[in-house]
Amino acid sequence: MNGLPARRLLLVHAHPDDESINNGVTMAKYAAEGAHVALVTCTLGEEGEVIPPGLAHLAADRDDTLGAHRVGELAAAMAELGVSDHRFLGGAGRFRDSGMMGLPQNTRPGAFWGADLDEAAAYLVEVIRELRPQVLVTYDPDGGYGHPDHIKAHQVAMRAAELAAEKAYRRDLGEPHAIAKIYWNRVPRSVVEEGFARLRAAGEQVPFPGVGSPGDVPGVVPDERITAEIGDEGDDEAGSGGSGAYVAAKAAAMRAHATQIAVDGPFFALSNDLAQPLFAREYYELVVGDPGAAAGERERDLFAGVGV
Ligand SMILES: [Zn+2]
């Protein structure tokens, strides 16, 4: 083996900030517990909108320097989560943010959306064969909400997992490795509805111009689809407290993505200024591998059943 910890978790995301919003608690928890946590981000998020007026000049339609700035935000977020292994697919700048679906940026040369699937996947195969993770976390086939880079990240992650295990495939990229468990990021509908009810109840105390709706949350599914749930020990089911160390780390990591996210207490907003609940617990659907919990029960550990 390569001297890495026994438990190894790999997360694949589209843009800097997606990892903190979706998996901040999970990443902080496993890093604190001594597992190897590795993040592969597929683009620099060059097409993101910029929230702080003082940084508006970074945007793609002005200086087009947002990507480099977000590399720094991601590094700061990873420091908050205690994660030291974070990489960009194919190296920083190899693939560019494709913008929202239907925009001309989708077909711009170098855009991730237009990348050859197997060529992009090969970069990830090399990471998988190096780190040999037991657990992979990525998006569902819709990318959670239809953003081209999120859809593509899903496709690349699933394809790379398949290729990494194939004995005959590219031995120059390392020894074959089969990932034991693959999860998609999910949010149970009841948790989303409860979160927005809490937001509405907070009324004028919510420090954002508007309040979003459950439709703004990616990856929402009926509760019975959820197979795993990760949170701070002692947090209540609804996760409304935000009191635990991992939730605090998640909020700090989200705050580090200052061009993209405004955080205030248990709420946050993206560039649309619509408040959303900051979820203290994170939820997953196991799509490859055997569940480590009894039928009908949720796993409380993504490594459950993998024998490490
Ligand atoms: Zn994203």
Side-chain angles (χ1 to χ4, degrees), residues 207-242:
F208 297 106
V211 172
S213 67
D216 297 322
V217 178
V220 178
V221 288
D223 291 26
E224 54 269 26
R225 294 272 297 271
I226 307 297
T227 64
E229 173 177 344
I230 303 295
D232 269 315
E233 293 302 318
D235 262 10
D236 61 33
E237 188 80 10
S240 57

mmCIF file of all heavy atoms in Angstrom, residues 207-242:
data_model
loop_
_atom_site.group_PDB
_atom_site.id
_atom_site.type_symbol
_atom_site.label_atom_id
_atom_site.label_comp_id
_atom_site.label_asym_id
_atom_site.label_seq_id
_atom_site.Cartn_x
_atom_site.Cartn_y
_atom_site.Cartn_z
ATOM 1 N N PRO A 207 -31.613 37.298 7.188
ATOM 2 C CA PRO A 207 -30.859 38.458 6.708
ATOM 3 C C PRO A 207 -30.612 38.461 5.199
ATOM 4 O O PRO A 207 -29.566 38.902 4.750
ATOM 5 C CB PRO A 207 -29.544 38.317 7.474
ATOM 6 C CG PRO A 207 -29.384 36.843 7.618
ATOM 7 C CD PRO A 207 -30.754 36.262 7.735
ATOM 8 N N PHE A 208 -31.560 37.977 4.431
ATOM 9 C CA PHE A 208 -31.397 37.988 2.977
ATOM 10 C C PHE A 208 -32.647 38.588 2.344
ATOM 11 O O PHE A 208 -33.737 38.521 2.924
ATOM 12 C CB PHE A 208 -31.163 36.574 2.455
ATOM 13 C CG PHE A 208 -29.887 35.953 2.987
ATOM 14 C CD1 PHE A 208 -29.932 34.964 3.955
ATOM 15 C CD2 PHE A 208 -28.645 36.380 2.524
ATOM 16 C CE1 PHE A 208 -28.754 34.397 4.452
ATOM 17 C CE2 PHE A 208 -27.469 35.833 3.020
ATOM 18 C CZ PHE A 208 -27.522 34.836 3.980
ATOM 19 N N PRO A 209 -32.501 39.155 1.147
ATOM 20 C CA PRO A 209 -33.633 39.844 0.524
ATOM 21 C C PRO A 209 -34.840 38.943 0.280
ATOM 22 O O PRO A 209 -35.970 39.400 0.303
ATOM 23 C CB PRO A 209 -33.056 40.335 -0.809
ATOM 24 C CG PRO A 209 -31.588 40.421 -0.587
ATOM 25 C CD PRO A 209 -31.260 39.328 0.402
ATOM 26 N N GLY A 210 -34.610 37.675 0.014
ATOM 27 C CA GLY A 210 -35.734 36.788 -0.278
ATOM 28 C C GLY A 210 -35.518 35.422 0.323
ATOM 29 O O GLY A 210 -34.465 35.124 0.867
ATOM 30 N N VAL A 211 -36.543 34.605 0.219
ATOM 31 C CA VAL A 211 -36.457 33.238 0.713
ATOM 32 C C VAL A 211 -36.656 32.300 -0.475
ATOM 33 O O VAL A 211 -37.575 32.489 -1.271
ATOM 34 C CB VAL A 211 -37.528 32.973 1.800
ATOM 35 C CG1 VAL A 211 -37.566 31.492 2.166
ATOM 36 C CG2 VAL A 211 -37.239 33.810 3.038
ATOM 37 N N GLY A 212 -35.775 31.318 -0.569
ATOM 38 C CA GLY A 212 -35.872 30.356 -1.657
ATOM 39 C C GLY A 212 -36.994 29.370 -1.429
ATOM 40 O O GLY A 212 -37.855 29.561 -0.564
ATOM 41 N N SER A 213 -36.994 28.304 -2.221
ATOM 42 C CA SER A 213 -38.026 27.279 -2.071
ATOM 43 C C SER A 213 -37.350 25.923 -2.203
ATOM 44 O O SER A 213 -36.202 25.835 -2.656
ATOM 45 C CB SER A 213 -39.079 27.451 -3.159
ATOM 46 O OG SER A 213 -38.507 27.173 -4.412
ATOM 47 N N PRO A 214 -38.054 24.860 -1.799
ATOM 48 C CA PRO A 214 -37.447 23.526 -1.883
ATOM 49 C C PRO A 214 -36.889 23.212 -3.277
ATOM 50 O O PRO A 214 -35.927 22.467 -3.403
ATOM 51 C CB PRO A 214 -38.610 22.603 -1.516
ATOM 52 C CG PRO A 214 -39.424 23.422 -0.557
ATOM 53 C CD PRO A 214 -39.351 24.835 -1.111
ATOM 54 N N GLY A 215 -37.464 23.831 -4.306
ATOM 55 C CA GLY A 215 -36.982 23.607 -5.667
ATOM 56 C C GLY A 215 -35.576 24.125 -5.908
ATOM 57 O O GLY A 215 -34.931 23.766 -6.892
ATOM 58 N N ASP A 216 -35.075 24.976 -4.997
ATOM 59 C CA ASP A 216 -33.710 25.495 -5.144
ATOM 60 C C ASP A 216 -32.652 24.525 -4.637
ATOM 61 O O ASP A 216 -31.458 24.753 -4.812
ATOM 62 C CB ASP A 216 -33.558 26.811 -4.352
ATOM 63 C CG ASP A 216 -34.471 27.906 -4.875
ATOM 64 O OD1 ASP A 216 -34.641 27.968 -6.110
ATOM 65 O OD2 ASP A 216 -35.011 28.679 -4.063
ATOM 66 N N VAL A 217 -33.093 23.472 -3.964
ATOM 67 C CA VAL A 217 -32.140 22.530 -3.360
ATOM 68 C C VAL A 217 -31.903 21.358 -4.317
ATOM 69 O O VAL A 217 -32.850 20.719 -4.761
ATOM 70 C CB VAL A 217 -32.674 22.008 -2.007
ATOM 71 C CG1 VAL A 217 -31.711 20.992 -1.410
ATOM 72 C CG2 VAL A 217 -32.897 23.172 -1.045
ATOM 73 N N PRO A 218 -30.632 21.089 -4.645
ATOM 74 C CA PRO A 218 -30.333 19.972 -5.546
ATOM 75 C C PRO A 218 -30.508 18.611 -4.887
ATOM 76 O O PRO A 218 -30.322 18.471 -3.676
ATOM 77 C CB PRO A 218 -28.848 20.167 -5.896
ATOM 78 C CG PRO A 218 -28.418 21.435 -5.289
ATOM 79 C CD PRO A 218 -29.429 21.820 -4.259
ATOM 80 N N GLY A 219 -30.860 17.627 -5.678
ATOM 81 C CA GLY A 219 -30.815 16.236 -5.222
ATOM 82 C C GLY A 219 -31.915 15.828 -4.269
ATOM 83 O O GLY A 219 -31.770 14.852 -3.532
ATOM 84 N N VAL A 220 -33.032 16.562 -4.254
ATOM 85 C CA VAL A 220 -34.116 16.226 -3.319
ATOM 86 C C VAL A 220 -34.874 14.987 -3.807
ATOM 87 O O VAL A 220 -35.240 14.901 -4.979
ATOM 88 C CB VAL A 220 -35.091 17.410 -3.166
ATOM 89 C CG1 VAL A 220 -36.245 17.033 -2.241
ATOM 90 C CG2 VAL A 220 -34.353 18.628 -2.619
ATOM 91 N N VAL A 221 -35.076 14.037 -2.893
ATOM 92 C CA VAL A 221 -35.799 12.797 -3.226
ATOM 93 C C VAL A 221 -36.714 12.414 -2.068
ATOM 94 O O VAL A 221 -36.544 12.915 -0.947
ATOM 95 C CB VAL A 221 -34.821 11.617 -3.489
ATOM 96 C CG1 VAL A 221 -34.094 11.787 -4.818
ATOM 97 C CG2 VAL A 221 -33.835 11.451 -2.344
ATOM 98 N N PRO A 222 -37.670 11.527 -2.329
ATOM 99 C CA PRO A 222 -38.487 11.014 -1.218
ATOM 100 C C PRO A 222 -37.594 10.380 -0.154
ATOM 101 O O PRO A 222 -36.576 9.756 -0.483
ATOM 102 C CB PRO A 222 -39.368 9.950 -1.883
ATOM 103 C CG PRO A 222 -39.394 10.315 -3.340
ATOM 104 C CD PRO A 222 -38.075 10.968 -3.626
ATOM 105 N N ASP A 223 -37.995 10.521 1.110
ATOM 106 C CA ASP A 223 -37.162 10.077 2.236
ATOM 107 C C ASP A 223 -36.702 8.628 2.110
ATOM 108 O O ASP A 223 -35.592 8.283 2.519
ATOM 109 C CB ASP A 223 -37.922 10.240 3.564
ATOM 110 C CG ASP A 223 -38.109 11.706 3.930
ATOM 111 O OD1 ASP A 223 -38.126 12.556 3.017
ATOM 112 O OD2 ASP A 223 -38.240 12.005 5.132
ATOM 113 N N GLU A 224 -37.556 7.778 1.543
ATOM 114 C CA GLU A 224 -37.217 6.349 1.516
ATOM 115 C C GLU A 224 -36.044 6.032 0.587
ATOM 116 O O GLU A 224 -35.467 4.946 0.667
ATOM 117 C CB GLU A 224 -38.448 5.493 1.152
ATOM 118 C CG GLU A 224 -39.142 5.878 -0.136
ATOM 119 C CD GLU A 224 -40.259 6.909 0.061
ATOM 120 O OE1 GLU A 224 -40.196 7.674 1.050
ATOM 121 O OE2 GLU A 224 -41.178 6.959 -0.780
ATOM 122 N N ARG A 225 -35.666 6.989 -0.252
ATOM 123 C CA ARG A 225 -34.500 6.762 -1.119
ATOM 124 C C ARG A 225 -33.181 6.946 -0.368
ATOM 125 O O ARG A 225 -32.122 6.521 -0.829
ATOM 126 C CB ARG A 225 -34.526 7.740 -2.301
ATOM 127 C CG ARG A 225 -35.672 7.533 -3.278
ATOM 128 C CD ARG A 225 -35.334 6.527 -4.379
ATOM 129 N NE ARG A 225 -34.232 6.935 -5.256
ATOM 130 C CZ ARG A 225 -34.388 7.663 -6.366
ATOM 131 N NH1 ARG A 225 -35.586 8.081 -6.726
ATOM 132 N NH2 ARG A 225 -33.339 7.970 -7.102
ATOM 133 N N ILE A 226 -33.227 7.614 0.769
ATOM 134 C CA ILE A 226 -31.999 7.899 1.525
ATOM 135 C C ILE A 226 -31.510 6.625 2.214
ATOM 136 O O ILE A 226 -32.275 5.968 2.910
ATOM 137 C CB ILE A 226 -32.263 8.970 2.614
ATOM 138 C CG1 ILE A 226 -32.901 10.221 2.011
ATOM 139 C CG2 ILE A 226 -30.971 9.294 3.371
ATOM 140 C CD1 ILE A 226 -32.069 10.952 0.999
ATOM 141 N N THR A 227 -30.224 6.306 2.009
ATOM 142 C CA THR A 227 -29.687 5.100 2.655
ATOM 143 C C THR A 227 -28.620 5.416 3.697
ATOM 144 O O THR A 227 -28.254 4.535 4.461
ATOM 145 C CB THR A 227 -29.069 4.143 1.611
ATOM 146 O OG1 THR A 227 -27.944 4.786 1.007
ATOM 147 C CG2 THR A 227 -30.084 3.762 0.542
ATOM 148 N N ALA A 228 -28.107 6.644 3.690
ATOM 149 C CA ALA A 228 -27.068 6.987 4.662
ATOM 150 C C ALA A 228 -27.242 8.436 5.102
ATOM 151 O O ALA A 228 -27.689 9.282 4.323
ATOM 152 C CB ALA A 228 -25.672 6.795 4.063
ATOM 153 N N GLU A 229 -26.876 8.686 6.341
ATOM 154 C CA GLU A 229 -27.059 10.010 6.939
ATOM 155 C C GLU A 229 -25.855 10.287 7.832
ATOM 156 O O GLU A 229 -25.506 9.475 8.681
ATOM 157 C CB GLU A 229 -28.347 9.975 7.763
ATOM 158 C CG GLU A 229 -28.587 11.199 8.573
ATOM 159 C CD GLU A 229 -29.939 11.115 9.310
ATOM 160 O OE1 GLU A 229 -30.787 10.274 8.966
ATOM 161 O OE2 GLU A 229 -30.095 11.889 10.247
ATOM 162 N N ILE A 230 -25.212 11.435 7.607
ATOM 163 C CA ILE A 230 -23.993 11.758 8.357
ATOM 164 C C ILE A 230 -24.184 13.105 9.046
ATOM 165 O O ILE A 230 -24.589 14.082 8.406
ATOM 166 C CB ILE A 230 -22.773 11.855 7.408
ATOM 167 C CG1 ILE A 230 -22.570 10.555 6.623
ATOM 168 C CG2 ILE A 230 -21.513 12.241 8.189
ATOM 169 C CD1 ILE A 230 -22.199 9.352 7.457
ATOM 170 N N GLY A 231 -23.878 13.156 10.331
ATOM 171 C CA GLY A 231 -23.988 14.420 11.060
ATOM 172 C C GLY A 231 -23.110 14.400 12.283
ATOM 173 O O GLY A 231 -22.467 13.404 12.586
ATOM 174 N N ASP A 232 -23.096 15.539 12.983
ATOM 175 C CA ASP A 232 -22.402 15.589 14.263
ATOM 176 C C ASP A 232 -23.121 14.688 15.245
ATOM 177 O O ASP A 232 -24.341 14.657 15.281
ATOM 178 C CB ASP A 232 -22.445 17.024 14.819
ATOM 179 C CG ASP A 232 -21.245 17.826 14.365
ATOM 180 O OD1 ASP A 232 -20.138 17.292 14.418
ATOM 181 O OD2 ASP A 232 -21.434 18.979 13.959
ATOM 182 N N GLU A 233 -22.361 13.989 16.072
ATOM 183 C CA GLU A 233 -22.981 13.226 17.154
ATOM 184 C C GLU A 233 -23.787 14.177 18.029
ATOM 185 O O GLU A 233 -23.341 15.268 18.341
ATOM 186 C CB GLU A 233 -21.898 12.563 18.021
ATOM 187 C CG GLU A 233 -21.119 11.480 17.315
ATOM 188 C CD GLU A 233 -22.022 10.370 16.787
ATOM 189 O OE1 GLU A 233 -22.951 9.981 17.514
ATOM 190 O OE2 GLU A 233 -21.802 9.914 15.653
ATOM 191 N N GLY A 234 -24.973 13.756 18.386
ATOM 192 C CA GLY A 234 -25.749 14.572 19.321
ATOM 193 C C GLY A 234 -26.649 15.603 18.654
ATOM 194 O O GLY A 234 -27.528 16.162 19.290
ATOM 195 N N ASP A 235 -26.431 15.859 17.356
ATOM 196 C CA ASP A 235 -27.341 16.778 16.669
ATOM 197 C C ASP A 235 -28.713 16.147 16.572
ATOM 198 O O ASP A 235 -28.843 14.952 16.410
ATOM 199 C CB ASP A 235 -26.842 17.048 15.246
ATOM 200 C CG ASP A 235 -26.078 18.347 15.169
ATOM 201 O OD1 ASP A 235 -25.786 18.894 16.247
ATOM 202 O OD2 ASP A 235 -25.772 18.783 14.061
ATOM 203 N N ASP A 236 -29.716 16.966 16.644
ATOM 204 C CA ASP A 236 -31.048 16.398 16.481
ATOM 205 C C ASP A 236 -31.281 16.047 15.014
ATOM 206 O O ASP A 236 -30.555 16.457 14.126
ATOM 207 C CB ASP A 236 -32.136 17.334 17.020
ATOM 208 C CG ASP A 236 -32.158 18.663 16.299
ATOM 209 O OD1 ASP A 236 -31.859 18.690 15.096
ATOM 210 O OD2 ASP A 236 -32.469 19.671 16.935
ATOM 211 N N GLU A 237 -32.303 15.276 14.792
ATOM 212 C CA GLU A 237 -32.591 14.739 13.463
ATOM 213 C C GLU A 237 -32.730 15.852 12.425
ATOM 214 O O GLU A 237 -32.249 15.755 11.311
ATOM 215 C CB GLU A 237 -33.876 13.906 13.527
ATOM 216 C CG GLU A 237 -34.184 13.128 12.259
ATOM 217 C CD GLU A 237 -33.368 11.848 12.161
ATOM 218 O OE1 GLU A 237 -32.706 11.461 13.153
ATOM 219 O OE2 GLU A 237 -33.374 11.245 11.092
ATOM 220 N N ALA A 238 -33.387 16.923 12.830
ATOM 221 C CA ALA A 238 -33.624 18.004 11.872
ATOM 222 C C ALA A 238 -32.352 18.812 11.625
ATOM 223 O O ALA A 238 -32.252 19.531 10.639
ATOM 224 C CB ALA A 238 -34.713 18.928 12.394
ATOM 225 N N GLY A 239 -31.395 18.664 12.526
ATOM 226 C CA GLY A 239 -30.129 19.357 12.322
ATOM 227 C C GLY A 239 -30.272 20.857 12.405
ATOM 228 O O GLY A 239 -29.546 21.605 11.762
ATOM 229 N N SER A 240 -31.189 21.324 13.205
ATOM 230 C CA SER A 240 -31.435 22.761 13.230
ATOM 231 C C SER A 240 -30.436 23.504 14.108
ATOM 232 O O SER A 240 -30.296 24.709 13.986
ATOM 233 C CB SER A 240 -32.847 23.030 13.742
ATOM 234 O OG SER A 240 -33.001 22.435 15.015
ATOM 235 N N GLY A 241 -29.754 22.771 14.954
ATOM 236 C CA GLY A 241 -28.891 23.436 15.926
ATOM 237 C C GLY A 241 -27.660 24.065 15.313
ATOM 238 O O GLY A 241 -27.317 25.200 15.608
ATOM 239 N N GLY A 242 -27.003 23.335 14.461
ATOM 240 C CA GLY A 242 -25.771 23.860 13.899
ATOM 241 C C GLY A 242 -24.710 24.059 14.954
ATOM 242 O O GLY A 242 -23.838 24.901 14.830
#
